[in-house]
Amino acid sequence: MLSCLGDKDGNAEGNGFLLLDSDFNVKGRWEKPGHSPQFGYDFWYQPRHETMISTSWGAPAAFTKGFNLEHVKDGLYGRHLFVYSWPGGELKQTLDLGNTGLIPLEIRFLHDPLKDTGYVGCALSSNMVRFFKTADGTWNHEVVISVPTLKVKNWILPEMPGLITDFLISLDDRFLYFVNWLHGDVRQYNIEDPAKPVLSGQVWVGGLLQKGNDVVYMTEDGKELQFDVPPIKGNRLRGGPQMIQLSLDGKRLYVTNSLFSAWDRQFYGQDLVKKGSHMLQIDADTRRGGLTVNPNFFVDFGAEPDGPSLAHEMRYPGGDCTSDIWI
């Protein structure tokens, strides 16, 4: 099943879900007629609860040209979750996340197939929103992690969101990891109580606020600060942490730094596009919590024979915590 973002002209009306057979021939639409979401992007399902929930990025005509805040006001970006019957394809409920859930991207249920809760990362609002089933069988949501918007100087706006672009949940459902693509940090939260995540690790691996850049953030007492981002194997880190993948034992978190070429160029300039992206490894403490950047691991996609390349998604061949769903 494929999630679609829009029609051939870049309008959001063309979104929905396509089913392919084992030979990759299109069989048709998955959702019932008249049950397409307003916007498309990611989805995740929990078979024992007979539910699939999808997220909403925006109209391709808007985001392919780079990000424009006016497009949010014009309604060209999403703020809803769409709750479907699984595998029936009937749209049962639409959750309006409001201003606390602008541009919801990646979505994950807990891996435990009995659990009826999960999270969605809302990029522009920089919030992690938990969704859950209520006693009457409908679904609700609440903000459980909020990344403060920072006051900055020498940037296009006076305030900078973290921009949560990716997150994942460890296979044992103990830890949640997410990135702030603009700020430049990767975070680890203990979610043994799903409603009350606890910050347990944080590292800085790029971002607009690293030392050596022009952009600085202002503290409440008026000080100008930047974050220290050490080079890896002699390489200054480009861009910000974007897509992540976790080893099956939960001990190694891999990070790439390209979001979307138009946005890469807009927010990080030609440096990231011309030099290409890279992949890093962050070691995770799975007992007490904590993150440490591995100083000996650096994959340079700018050095590819047909490069420079912009690396994005990562997958394990036998399945991983961002693809496996149990029944």
Side-chain angles (χ1 to χ4, degrees):
M1 192 165 93
L2 301 179
S3 173
C4 302
L5 291 170
D7 63 16
K8 63 183 179 62
D9 298 317
N11 301 310
E13 285 78 7
N15 55 51
F17 308 93
L18 288 180
L19 286 178
L20 308 183
D21 64 20
S22 58
D23 294 319
F24 297 99
N25 298 308
V26 177
K27 295 179 63 177
R29 299 294 285 253
W30 171 75
E31 76 276 15
K32 291 184 179 300
H35 288 247
S36 298
Q38 180 185 9
F39 293 102
Y41 189 59
D42 195 20
F43 63 92
W44 198 277
Y45 56 96
Q46 197 71 306
R48 296 195 192 182
H49 293 277
E50 300 179 332
T51 296
M52 186 273 273
I53 303 180
S54 68
T55 65
S56 45
W57 184 0
F63 65 71
T64 54
K65 298 180 176 65
F67 180 72
N68 184 338
L69 193 59
E70 290 299 316
H71 288 161
V72 178
K73 299 177 183 178
D74 294 339
L76 296 178
Y77 283 95
R79 66 180 199 183
H80 296 87
L81 299 182
F82 303 98
V83 182
Y84 285 88
S85 62
W86 180 269
E90 180 182 354
L91 181 60
K92 299 292 234 179
Q93 189 179 352
T94 298
L95 297 177
D96 186 347
L97 306 182
N99 290 334
T100 62
L102 296 174
I103 311 185
L105 295 180
E106 309 297 330
I107 187 168
R108 311 275 186 259
F109 271 99
L110 293 179
H111 292 99
D112 184 342
L114 294 175
K115 297 296 176 63
D116 57 2
T117 188
Y119 303 90
V120 58
C122 301
L124 187 58
S125 298
S126 299
N127 288 329
M128 191 63 59
V129 172
R130 183 177 79 96
F131 55 86
F132 52 93
K133 186 186 284 188
T134 63
D136 65 2
T138 60
W139 294 80
N140 205 342
H141 62 91
E142 63 178 352
V143 175
V144 291
I145 302 171
S146 184
V147 177
T149 297
L150 299 179
K151 293 182 178 181
V152 294
K153 289 178 61 176
N154 307 323
W155 197 52
I156 55 176
L157 295 172
E159 294 186 338
M160 180 189 293
L163 210 73
I164 300 175
T165 52
D166 193 24
F167 84 97
L168 56 78
I169 300 171
S170 62
L171 285 174
D172 59 7
D173 289 338
R174 291 183 58 227
F175 292 103
L176 180 148
Y177 299 85
F178 72 77
V179 303
N180 287 305
W181 189 58
L182 294 181
H183 289 179
D185 59 316
V186 179
R187 299 189 182 193
Q188 176 198 58
Y189 283 82
N190 185 302
I191 55 168
E192 291 175 291
D193 181 348
K196 298 179 180 179
V198 177
L199 181 64
S200 52
Q202 184 179 26
V203 290
W204 298 88
V205 287
L208 291 170
L209 299 173
Q210 66 173 305
K211 291 181 178 178
N213 288 351
D214 294 331
V215 184
V216 297
Y217 82 95
M218 310 296 296
T219 64
E220 292 184 358
D221 57 1
K223 293 182 180 179
E224 298 182 1
L225 292 178
Q226 292 178 312
F227 298 108
D228 186 25
V229 180
I232 305 296
K233 299 187 73 172
N235 297 280
R236 173 178 166 82
L237 299 188
R238 304 184 287 272
Q242 211 286 107
M243 299 305 287
I244 53 179
Q245 185 57 265
L246 189 65
S247 61
L248 301 185
D249 62 4
K251 295 181 179 180
R252 297 177 307 282
L253 186 71
Y254 297 96
V255 185
T256 57
N257 58 337
S258 172
L259 195 162
F260 186 75
S261 59
W263 292 36
D264 292 346
R265 187 176 294 107
Q266 177 182 357
F267 290 104
Y268 285 102
Q270 293 295 335
D271 186 59
L272 176 56
V273 177
K274 287 184 177 180
K275 294 182 180 179
S277 60
H278 50 244
M279 180 167 66
L280 311 175
Q281 178 184 316
I282 298 174
D283 297 323
D285 187 330
T286 58
R287 291 196 309 159
R288 296 170 297 179
L291 298 175
T292 307
V293 179
N294 187 324
N296 301 311
F297 187 99
F298 185 87
V299 179
D300 188 356
F301 291 95
E304 287 295 305
D306 296 321
S309 300
L310 295 173
H312 189 76
E313 200 90 36
M314 294 162 283
R315 287 285 186 265
Y316 280 99
D320 52 58
C321 63
T322 57
S323 62
D324 280 6
I325 296 173
W326 284 270
I327 60 173

